[in-house]
Amino acid sequence: MDTYQATSEVPDPPAAAVGYAGVLSELLPIALWREDADGRIVEWSLAAQDLLGHRPEDIIGLPGSAVLVPEANHQLADELTRRVQSGETVVGTLPVRHRDGHRVPMEMWIVPAVDPQGRTGAMLIAVETSEVLHMRDSLAALQSLFTQSPIGLATLGTDLRFLRVNDALARMNGVSAAEHLGKRLTEVVPGVNAAALESMMRQVLDRGTAVVDVRRTGRTPADPEHDHTWSCSYAPLLDGSGRALGVIASLIDITEGQRAQADAERARHRFALLAEAGTRIGTTLDLHQTAQEIVDVLVPQLADSADVQVLEAVLGPDEGPIPTASARGVLRRLAAHFPDPTAPTAKLAPGQTFQIPVGTTYEQVISEGRPMNLYLADIPELITSPRAEALRTYLATLGSARLVPLVARGTVLGAVAVTRTREREPFDEEDRVLVDELVARAALNIDNARMYTL
């Protein structure tokens, strides 16, 4: 128990007055007083003054029972005094009379204590019952919050080492709560932007202000194969005097929400791209211009390269119906764009023709009129020239590729090849559907331009 220290605002207390109960006074005000063997009050704490209204100089020397015990409880008080003087400690909930006359229910501990004359008196320790119940409920709520909340929660000391971690955060990090304790975030989950988050927590400590919705991204042992994103909020943990004790952290895994938002954004982008294609492709009836417009829409929004090729058979004189496309025919490149001007693909220029390789994916796409993905195993069959080794080697470094037929009015006119480099995510299912749709729409423009050009 801290000794009372006088300040300019508080008069010097009598020698028998004692002070507040240090840290406990911030959490739970504890009244303490002593009675001698005759039942007279010989010490009276300042906390007792706060709770019961009596100043030390007014109450010391008075019989405790007469001043503090309600009249209806005098007989009980005499019985308790006899038990304490016989060496027994008494614990119970008892009403104590306030200076203004109202009763204050208190949790009492009454223990034997030697009085100034060496006789057996009593020391009484009392806490207001309502405060005990409030603390009990607060601790229960805090315990429930830590154990049952789906939000990740932690407290960290001023050295930013974990003091307490709930199960939700332990599950997020894939590290048991016990393994967090005494460690820093950089030690527990180095696979996230932990250093930046520690810097943020240090600012919270230094400035004494909370920060909300800081994003933490990375991988933890809970899911080491996938990135997750968490919304993190930090607030200073303060004692009753405003002194910083550490940081309170709360985290919510928003990965699914982020993915849903990203999916919605991609969907909006795809619809916008389809609308854009409708206005940018087919602005003229020039065949080569239309092919170039297809390339311009596809690159770079959907692909890193695009190569538009049309069958020579459909570029012949327009005599009646469009000739049936030969699965083993010749293709002419009308427009193309490749990402690296120094790569072997730079030699693949508009105007070049080449024979469709027999028994390959290329032939299957042209003959069946359906799009297909291209794989590394297809490269040697598609590019057979001994002089094209550099091109084959380069194409093997690409990340993903797809070949989509140009089909108009039930007839295959040619194909569009699109690729992505490995620096970019491979075509997913939604990407493939969008590329196929764009090429299908563009095929009608190619057909219109073909007929006009012829």
Side-chain angles (χ1 to χ4, degrees):
M1 182 171 58
D2 293 336
T3 302
Y4 170 77
Q5 296 180 350
T7 68
S8 58
E9 292 77 25
V10 180
D12 291 339
V18 291
Y20 293 96
V23 175
L24 281 175
S25 69
E26 300 173 4
L27 303 175
L28 191 65
I30 300 175
L32 182 148
W33 67 93
R34 289 176 181 267
E35 297 179 359
D36 64 14
D38 299 323
R40 296 185 179 276
I41 296 172
V42 294
E43 287 187 16
W44 185 259
S45 72
L46 297 179
Q49 174 181 321
D50 291 343
L51 290 174
L52 297 172
H54 300 278
R55 296 183 303 172
E57 57 265 36
D58 295 334
I59 199 170
I60 289 176
L62 298 179
S65 180
V67 177
L68 302 174
V69 179
E71 187 173 346
N73 283 33
H74 280 179
Q75 186 175 351
L76 174 61
D78 292 342
E79 171 62 23
L80 295 180
T81 298
R82 286 192 293 271
R83 289 169 58 183
V84 170
Q85 289 185 344
S86 67
E88 184 180 345
T89 296
V90 175
V91 178
T93 302
L94 299 170
V96 180
R97 188 161 52 200
H98 192 275
R99 182 173 181 270
D100 63 13
H102 78 273
R103 297 184 179 190
V104 181
M106 305 193 84
E107 303 303 304
M108 303 282 294
W109 292 263
I110 309 173
V111 300
V114 177
D115 71 6
Q117 285 75 42
R119 300 172 299 171
T120 301
M123 180 172 68
L124 298 92
I125 304 168
V127 179
E128 194 171 357
T129 299
S130 61
E131 290 294 327
V132 174
L133 295 176
H134 176 70
M135 173 171 278
R136 181 197 65 184
D137 294 344
S138 296
L139 291 174
L142 180 61
Q143 182 68 14
S144 177
L145 179 65
F146 258 82
T147 57
Q148 299 180 30
S149 173
I151 298 173
L153 297 171
T155 56
L156 302 93
T158 54
D159 58 359
L160 300 184
R161 297 184 180 276
F162 285 102
L163 300 175
R164 186 174 185 183
V165 173
N166 74 342
D167 290 341
L169 183 57
R171 287 192 297 270
M172 289 180 190
N173 290 340
V175 178
S176 71
E179 291 178 279
H180 283 74
L181 302 184
K183 296 179 182 177
R184 298 174 68 123
L185 183 63
T186 48
E187 298 174 276
V188 177
V189 280
V192 301
N193 49 328
L197 293 175
E198 284 194 348
S199 177
M200 181 64 66
M201 287 188 278
R202 177 58 59 189
Q203 290 182 30
V204 169
L205 277 174
D206 294 343
R207 299 175 183 176
T209 55
V211 296
V212 178
D213 195 24
V214 178
R215 299 301 168 89
R216 161 183 145 179
T217 302
R219 301 181 181 187
T220 71
D223 188 8
E225 302 301 321
H226 302 94
D227 284 335
H228 282 249
T229 301
W230 296 267
S231 172
C232 309
S233 297
Y234 302 103
L237 178 62
L238 307 175
D239 64 12
S241 65
R243 180 171 58 94
L245 301 177
V247 176
I248 303 171
S250 63
L251 293 85
I252 302 173
D253 191 332
I254 59 172
T255 306
E256 291 303 320
Q258 291 282 93
R259 287 173 183 165
Q261 183 177 351
D263 289 345
E265 184 59 35
R266 283 195 294 269
R268 286 192 292 268
H269 174 71
R270 289 185 174 99
F271 282 125
L273 193 55
L274 284 172
E276 180 184 352
T279 60
R280 290 183 58 186
I281 299 175
T283 59
T284 72
L285 290 175
D286 180 83
L287 184 59
H288 292 84
Q289 176 65 26
T290 300
Q292 185 60 48
E293 289 168 350
I294 296 172
V295 170
D296 292 341
V297 168
L298 290 170
V299 179
Q301 297 192 77
L302 273 174
D304 294 314
S305 78
D307 188 357
V308 180
Q309 308 145 7
V310 175
L311 285 161
E312 284 279 271
V314 303
L315 294 176
D318 188 18
E319 299 176 355
I322 300 174
T324 301
S326 170
R328 300 183 183 181
V330 175
L331 286 165
R332 180 179 294 274
R333 180 171 290 109
L334 296 185
H337 174 88
F338 300 99
D340 186 354
T342 65
T345 48
K347 297 180 180 180
L348 304 179
Q352 294 175 335
T353 60
F354 57 95
Q355 186 76 36
I356 297 174
V358 177
T360 63
T361 302
Y362 229 120
E363 183 183 45
Q364 191 175 354
V365 168
I366 295 297
S367 62
E368 297 179 6
R370 62 184 181 90
M372 298 184 71
N373 292 329
L374 298 177
Y375 300 98
L376 292 177
D378 296 318
I379 295 175
E381 297 178 345
L382 297 177
I383 303 171
T384 58
S385 172
R387 293 177 297 177
E389 182 59 34
L391 178 59
R392 283 191 290 272
T393 301
Y394 173 76
L395 293 178
T397 66
L398 298 178
S400 59
R402 187 166 178 81
L403 187 63
V404 185
L406 286 161
V407 182
R409 301 176 178 92
T411 301
V412 178
L413 305 179
V416 177
V418 292
T419 68
R420 283 184 178 178
T421 63
R422 290 187 178 177
E423 287 73 29
R424 191 169 179 176
E425 288 291 323
F427 293 113
D428 61 19
E429 182 59 31
E430 293 182 348
D431 293 328
R432 291 191 288 269
V433 169
L434 182 55
V435 169
D436 296 351
E437 177 65 20
L438 282 174
V439 172
R441 295 187 182 192
L444 293 173
N445 298 111
I446 287 286
D447 192 35
N448 291 337
R450 182 199 68 82
M451 290 189 293
Y452 179 81
T453 303
L454 295 176

CSV table of all heavy atoms in Angstrom, one decimal, residues 50-77:
chain,number,residue,atom,x,y,z
A,50,ASP,N,-13.0,8.4,0.6
A,50,ASP,CA,-13.6,8.6,-0.6
A,50,ASP,C,-14.9,7.7,-0.7
A,50,ASP,O,-15.9,8.2,-1.2
A,50,ASP,CB,-12.7,8.1,-1.8
A,50,ASP,CG,-11.6,9.1,-2.0
A,50,ASP,OD1,-11.6,10.3,-1.5
A,50,ASP,OD2,-10.6,8.7,-2.6
A,51,LEU,N,-14.9,6.5,-0.1
A,51,LEU,CA,-16.0,5.6,-0.3
A,51,LEU,C,-17.1,5.9,0.8
A,51,LEU,O,-18.3,5.7,0.5
A,51,LEU,CB,-15.5,4.2,-0.1
A,51,LEU,CG,-14.7,3.6,-1.3
A,51,LEU,CD1,-14.2,2.2,-0.9
A,51,LEU,CD2,-15.5,3.6,-2.6
A,52,LEU,N,-16.7,6.4,2.0
A,52,LEU,CA,-17.6,6.5,3.1
A,52,LEU,C,-17.8,7.9,3.6
A,52,LEU,O,-18.7,8.1,4.5
A,52,LEU,CB,-17.2,5.5,4.3
A,52,LEU,CG,-17.2,4.1,3.9
A,52,LEU,CD1,-16.6,3.2,5.0
A,52,LEU,CD2,-18.6,3.5,3.6
A,53,GLY,N,-17.0,8.8,3.1
A,53,GLY,CA,-17.3,10.2,3.4
A,53,GLY,C,-16.7,10.8,4.6
A,53,GLY,O,-16.6,12.0,4.8
A,54,HIS,N,-16.1,10.0,5.5
A,54,HIS,CA,-15.5,10.5,6.8
A,54,HIS,C,-14.1,10.9,6.6
A,54,HIS,O,-13.3,10.1,6.0
A,54,HIS,CB,-15.6,9.4,7.9
A,54,HIS,CG,-17.0,9.0,8.2
A,54,HIS,ND1,-17.8,9.6,9.0
A,54,HIS,CD2,-17.7,7.9,7.7
A,54,HIS,CE1,-19.0,9.0,9.1
A,54,HIS,NE2,-19.0,7.9,8.3
A,55,ARG,N,-13.7,12.0,7.0
A,55,ARG,CA,-12.3,12.4,7.0
A,55,ARG,C,-11.5,11.8,8.1
A,55,ARG,O,-12.1,11.6,9.2
A,55,ARG,CB,-12.2,14.0,7.0
A,55,ARG,CG,-12.8,14.7,5.9
A,55,ARG,CD,-12.6,16.2,6.0
A,55,ARG,NE,-13.1,16.7,7.2
A,55,ARG,CZ,-12.9,17.9,7.7
A,55,ARG,NH1,-12.2,18.8,6.9
A,55,ARG,NH2,-13.4,18.3,8.8
A,56,PRO,N,-10.2,11.5,7.9
A,56,PRO,CA,-9.5,10.9,9.0
A,56,PRO,C,-9.6,11.6,10.3
A,56,PRO,O,-9.7,11.1,11.4
A,56,PRO,CB,-8.1,10.8,8.5
A,56,PRO,CG,-8.2,10.8,7.0
A,56,PRO,CD,-9.4,11.6,6.7
A,57,GLU,N,-9.4,13.0,10.2
A,57,GLU,CA,-9.4,13.8,11.5
A,57,GLU,C,-10.7,13.8,12.2
A,57,GLU,O,-10.8,14.1,13.4
A,57,GLU,CB,-8.9,15.2,11.2
A,57,GLU,CG,-9.8,15.9,10.1
A,57,GLU,CD,-9.2,15.8,8.7
A,57,GLU,OE1,-8.7,14.8,8.4
A,57,GLU,OE2,-9.3,16.8,8.0
A,58,ASP,N,-11.8,13.4,11.5
A,58,ASP,CA,-13.1,13.4,12.1
A,58,ASP,C,-13.5,12.1,12.7
A,58,ASP,O,-14.3,12.0,13.7
A,58,ASP,CB,-14.2,13.8,11.1
A,58,ASP,CG,-14.1,15.2,10.6
A,58,ASP,OD1,-13.5,16.1,11.3
A,58,ASP,OD2,-14.5,15.5,9.4
A,59,ILE,N,-12.9,11.0,12.2
A,59,ILE,CA,-13.4,9.7,12.6
A,59,ILE,C,-12.4,8.9,13.5
A,59,ILE,O,-12.8,8.1,14.3
A,59,ILE,CB,-13.7,8.8,11.3
A,59,ILE,CG1,-14.6,7.6,11.8
A,59,ILE,CG2,-12.5,8.4,10.6
A,59,ILE,CD1,-15.2,6.9,10.6
A,60,ILE,N,-11.1,9.3,13.4
A,60,ILE,CA,-10.1,8.6,14.2
A,60,ILE,C,-10.4,8.9,15.7
A,60,ILE,O,-10.6,10.0,16.1
A,60,ILE,CB,-8.7,9.0,13.9
A,60,ILE,CG1,-8.4,8.4,12.5
A,60,ILE,CG2,-7.7,8.5,14.9
A,60,ILE,CD1,-7.0,8.8,12.0
A,61,GLY,N,-10.5,7.8,16.5
A,61,GLY,CA,-10.8,7.9,17.9
A,61,GLY,C,-12.2,7.6,18.3
A,61,GLY,O,-12.6,7.3,19.4
A,62,LEU,N,-13.1,7.5,17.2
A,62,LEU,CA,-14.5,7.2,17.5
A,62,LEU,C,-14.7,5.7,17.4
A,62,LEU,O,-14.0,5.0,16.7
A,62,LEU,CB,-15.4,7.9,16.4
A,62,LEU,CG,-15.4,9.4,16.4
A,62,LEU,CD1,-16.3,9.9,15.3
A,62,LEU,CD2,-15.8,10.0,17.7
A,63,PRO,N,-15.8,5.2,18.1
A,63,PRO,CA,-16.1,3.7,18.1
A,63,PRO,C,-16.6,3.4,16.7
A,63,PRO,O,-17.6,4.0,16.2
A,63,PRO,CB,-17.1,3.5,19.2
A,63,PRO,CG,-17.7,4.9,19.4
A,63,PRO,CD,-16.6,5.9,19.1
A,64,GLY,N,-15.9,2.4,16.0
A,64,GLY,CA,-16.3,2.1,14.7
A,64,GLY,C,-17.7,1.6,14.6
A,64,GLY,O,-18.5,1.9,13.6
A,65,SER,N,-18.2,0.8,15.5
A,65,SER,CA,-19.5,0.2,15.4
A,65,SER,C,-20.6,1.3,15.5
A,65,SER,O,-21.5,1.2,14.7
A,65,SER,CB,-19.7,-0.8,16.6
A,65,SER,OG,-21.0,-1.4,16.5
A,66,ALA,N,-20.4,2.3,16.3
A,66,ALA,CA,-21.4,3.3,16.5
A,66,ALA,C,-21.5,4.2,15.3
A,66,ALA,O,-22.6,4.6,14.9
A,66,ALA,CB,-21.1,4.2,17.7
A,67,VAL,N,-20.3,4.4,14.6
A,67,VAL,CA,-20.3,5.3,13.4
A,67,VAL,C,-20.7,4.6,12.1
A,67,VAL,O,-21.4,5.1,11.3
A,67,VAL,CB,-18.9,6.0,13.3
A,67,VAL,CG1,-18.9,6.9,12.1
A,67,VAL,CG2,-18.6,6.8,14.6
A,68,LEU,N,-20.2,3.4,12.0
A,68,LEU,CA,-20.2,2.7,10.7
A,68,LEU,C,-21.2,1.6,10.5
A,68,LEU,O,-21.6,1.3,9.4
A,68,LEU,CB,-18.8,2.2,10.3
A,68,LEU,CG,-17.7,3.2,10.3
A,68,LEU,CD1,-16.3,2.4,10.1
A,68,LEU,CD2,-17.9,4.2,9.2
A,69,VAL,N,-21.7,1.1,11.6
A,69,VAL,CA,-22.6,-0.1,11.6
A,69,VAL,C,-24.0,0.4,11.7
A,69,VAL,O,-24.3,1.0,12.7
A,69,VAL,CB,-22.2,-1.2,12.6
A,69,VAL,CG1,-23.2,-2.3,12.6
A,69,VAL,CG2,-20.8,-1.6,12.5
A,70,PRO,N,-24.9,0.0,10.8
A,70,PRO,CA,-26.3,0.3,10.9
A,70,PRO,C,-26.8,-0.3,12.2
A,70,PRO,O,-26.4,-1.4,12.7
A,70,PRO,CB,-27.0,-0.3,9.7
A,70,PRO,CG,-25.9,-0.4,8.7
A,70,PRO,CD,-24.6,-0.7,9.5
A,71,GLU,N,-27.8,0.4,12.8
A,71,GLU,CA,-28.3,0.0,14.2
A,71,GLU,C,-28.8,-1.5,14.1
A,71,GLU,O,-28.6,-2.2,15.1
A,71,GLU,CB,-29.4,0.9,14.6
A,71,GLU,CG,-29.9,0.7,16.0
A,71,GLU,CD,-30.9,1.7,16.5
A,71,GLU,OE1,-31.0,2.8,15.8
A,71,GLU,OE2,-31.6,1.5,17.5
A,72,ALA,N,-29.4,-1.9,13.1
A,72,ALA,CA,-30.0,-3.2,13.0
A,72,ALA,C,-28.9,-4.3,13.0
A,72,ALA,O,-29.1,-5.5,13.3
A,72,ALA,CB,-30.8,-3.4,11.8
A,73,ASN,N,-27.6,-3.9,12.8
A,73,ASN,CA,-26.5,-4.9,12.6
A,73,ASN,C,-25.6,-4.8,13.8
A,73,ASN,O,-24.5,-5.4,13.8
A,73,ASN,CB,-25.7,-4.6,11.3
A,73,ASN,CG,-26.4,-5.1,10.1
A,73,ASN,OD1,-27.7,-5.1,10.0
A,73,ASN,ND2,-25.7,-5.5,9.1
A,74,HIS,N,-25.9,-4.1,14.9
A,74,HIS,CA,-25.0,-4.0,16.0
A,74,HIS,C,-24.7,-5.3,16.7
A,74,HIS,O,-23.6,-5.6,17.0
A,74,HIS,CB,-25.6,-3.0,17.1
A,74,HIS,CG,-25.3,-1.6,16.7
A,74,HIS,ND1,-25.8,-0.5,17.4
A,74,HIS,CD2,-24.7,-1.0,15.6
A,74,HIS,CE1,-25.4,0.6,16.9
A,74,HIS,NE2,-24.8,0.4,15.7
A,75,GLN,N,-25.7,-6.1,16.8
A,75,GLN,CA,-25.5,-7.4,17.5
A,75,GLN,C,-24.6,-8.3,16.6
A,75,GLN,O,-23.7,-9.0,17.1
A,75,GLN,CB,-26.9,-8.1,17.7
A,75,GLN,CG,-26.8,-9.5,18.4
A,75,GLN,CD,-28.1,-10.1,18.7
A,75,GLN,OE1,-29.2,-9.4,18.5
A,75,GLN,NE2,-28.1,-11.3,19.2
A,76,LEU,N,-24.8,-8.3,15.3
A,76,LEU,CA,-23.9,-9.0,14.4
A,76,LEU,C,-22.5,-8.5,14.5
A,76,LEU,O,-21.5,-9.3,14.5
A,76,LEU,CB,-24.4,-8.9,12.9
A,76,LEU,CG,-23.6,-9.5,11.8
A,76,LEU,CD1,-23.4,-11.0,12.1
A,76,LEU,CD2,-24.1,-9.3,10.5
A,77,ALA,N,-22.3,-7.2,14.6
A,77,ALA,CA,-21.0,-6.6,14.7
A,77,ALA,C,-20.3,-7.1,15.9
A,77,ALA,O,-19.1,-7.4,15.9
A,77,ALA,CB,-21.1,-5.1,14.6
